[in-house]
Amino acid sequence: MLKSIRLALALSVITLTGFAVTPAMSASLKVVASFSVIGDFAKNVGGERVEITTIVGPDGDAHVYEPKPADAAAVAKADLILVNGLHFEGFLRRLIETSAPKGTIVELTKGVEPIAFKTEFAEAKESGYAGDEGHKHDEGHEHEDHDHGAIDPHAFQSIPNARIYVKNIAEAFCAADTDGCVDYQTNAAAYIEKLDALDAEMREAIALIPQNKRTVITSHDAFGYFEHEYGLAFLAPQGLATSSEPSAADVAKLVKQIRQDKASAIFMENITNPALIQQIARETGIKVGGTLYSDALSPPDGPAATYIDMMHNNIRQIKGAILGS
Ligand SMILES: [Zn+2]
C-alpha cells in the first residue's frame, strides 16, 4: 500500500517535472537576423533558447535583396530584429516600414569604430551606393547623422568587430529574456574565446605573407575592415555596390593599378557575378585564386557554413593563392 503510494507520488513528480520542462524546450525568444553571419552569431549566443529566422540566407546579397512577404511576417512577430546597420542591408528601411515590428531593432555595429571607404574608385562606389535608400535613415536611428556614402558597412570582416556584434547580441538577449541571461553570457564568452583563437590564427597566417605580396583583388569592397585589421590591401572594381556595373574606364584604371601595385592574387566572391573578375584576370594575367566569402556564409555543406569557417576559408584561399600553400 505504502509502496504504491510512494510509486504514485514518484510518478506524479516525474509527470510534473516532465510537464514543467516542456515550456523551456520551446524557444523563449523569436529572433530575426538580417543575414547569415548575424544568424550564426545569434545561434552561438542563443542556443536552444532562441528561434532564429534569417532573412538573407547563404550566398545571398544583402545590398540588393528584395524582401518577401514571409520576411515581413517574421519581422512583425519577432521579439528582436538583429541587423548590421551602417546601411549594409539595402532593404531594411522598406521592410521595417511594411512590417511595423513590435520587437526591438538592434544594430550590431553599435560600438564599432566605422571606417571610411578608400577613395581610388570613389566615383563608381558613390554612384552605385547612393542607390535607392543610401541617403535615408532607418527607423529609430534618426540620431545618427553621418555620410552614408563614405562609411564601409562590412564591419564583421574584422574579428575584433565580430566580438562587438556578439556582445551586443548577448546584451539584447539578456534585456529581452532575463531568465536566460546567464546562459547567453556563458555562450557568448565561450564563443568569444573561439573568436580570439581565430583572430590569433589570422594574424599568424598573414605574417607569413611577404609585405610586397599583400595586394589582392576582389569584386566588391567588402574587405576594408579586414584590410584595416590584418594589413592586406584589397582592390575592388565594383566599390561597395554589388549591383553597379563598373564602366570600361573604371576597369581599365583598375587593370593599370593592379599592374602598378603588382597584385598577387585575384578572387571571386560568393555573392557576386564572376564575369568581371574573370575579365580582369584575363587582362592582367593573374590566375583566379578561388572564392572568398564576403557578405554571406555558404550553404551548410559548403566551406563557409559558419562565420569561423568563413574566416578560415578566406585566409586559406588567400594564403594558398599568394604562397601556393
Ligand atoms: Zn558588400
Side-chain angles (χ1 to χ4, degrees):
M1 172 69 182
L2 195 59
K3 206 174 164 189
S4 69
I5 289 172
R6 273 199 198 123
L7 184 64
L9 276 172
L11 278 174
S12 73
V13 167
I14 288 164
T15 313
L16 277 172
T17 309
F19 184 73
V21 160
T22 312
M25 297 295 282
S26 66
S28 306
L29 280 181
K30 280 194 172 57
V31 174
V32 166
S34 64
F35 78 113
S36 52
V37 167
I38 290 179
D40 181 46
F41 290 155
K43 202 170 119 199
N44 277 285
V45 177
E48 298 293 308
R49 292 188 73 93
V50 300
E51 181 193 317
I52 302 161
T53 306
T54 298
I55 295 178
V56 186
D59 293 334
D61 181 347
H63 300 301
V64 298
Y65 180 78
E66 299 277 351
K68 297 173 175 53
D71 300 327
V75 167
K77 61 173 196 257
D79 299 305
L80 289 170
I81 300 124
L82 306 177
V83 305
N84 185 82
L86 303 179
H87 297 265
F88 176 71
E89 299 96 343
F91 59 87
L92 190 61
R93 187 177 58 90
R94 236 171 334 168
L95 180 60
I96 298 295
E97 271 170 15
T98 52
S99 55
K102 298 184 297 288
T104 311
I105 301 161
V106 186
E107 210 167 279
L108 300 181
T109 46
K110 190 179 142 231
V112 162
E113 195 168 316
I115 65 171
F117 277 116
K118 293 170 293 174
T119 49
E120 305 99 276
F121 298 98
E123 313 90 277
K125 279 164 201 164
E126 272 159 28
S127 62
Y129 190 41
D132 52 354
E133 311 197 3
H135 44 274
K136 294 275 189 149
H137 290 284
D138 291 334
E139 296 297 307
H141 299 278
E142 289 86 355
H143 58 282
E144 282 182 8
D145 191 23
H146 48 235
D147 181 4
H148 303 128
I151 297 296
D152 181 347
H154 306 85
F156 51 88
Q157 283 291 347
S158 132
I159 298 166
N161 285 344
R163 282 198 287 254
I164 296 175
Y165 283 55
V166 169
K167 282 179 184 159
N168 285 338
I169 291 171
E171 207 173 279
F173 285 2
C174 278
D177 170 27
T178 46
D179 288 351
C181 189
V182 172
D183 285 353
Y184 300 138
Q185 298 288 14
T186 307
N187 295 346
Y191 186 65
I192 284 173
E193 241 173 71
K194 289 185 197 168
L195 291 180
D196 288 344
L198 180 67
D199 187 54
E201 265 179 64
M202 300 289 284
R203 290 176 202 280
E204 270 170 41
I206 288 160
L208 299 173
I209 302 171
Q211 287 292 345
N212 64 353
K213 290 195 168 178
R214 291 191 181 181
T215 299
V216 302
I217 320 297
T218 57
S219 348
H220 94 294
D221 252 333
F223 295 96
Y225 289 85
F226 188 107
E227 170 169 338
H228 186 77
E229 195 60 52
Y230 301 110
L232 280 176
F234 288 83
L235 299 174
Q238 281 177 293
L240 170 73
T242 47
S243 55
S244 76
E245 277 291 316
S247 68
D250 282 339
V251 174
K253 200 171 148 195
L254 182 69
V255 165
K256 198 174 153 209
Q257 192 179 347
I258 291 167
R259 292 197 175 117
Q260 252 170 29
D261 292 6
K262 299 195 180 10
S264 296
I266 181 163
F267 297 97
M268 296 179 290
E269 286 175 35
N270 64 320
I271 65 152
T272 57
N273 185 327
L276 180 61
I277 284 301
Q278 285 157 350
Q279 182 198 339
I280 292 168
R282 274 195 309 274
E283 288 186 26
T284 56
I286 302 172
K287 196 170 145 259
V288 176
T291 299
L292 300 185
Y293 286 76
S294 50
D295 293 15
L297 302 178
S298 70
D301 58 349
T306 66
Y307 176 77
I308 289 175
D309 286 348
M310 172 178 97
M311 299 308 271
H312 273 145
N313 171 80
N314 289 355
I315 194 61
R316 206 167 42 233
Q317 298 282 336
I318 291 168
K319 236 180 85 191
I322 298 177
L323 300 177
S325 63

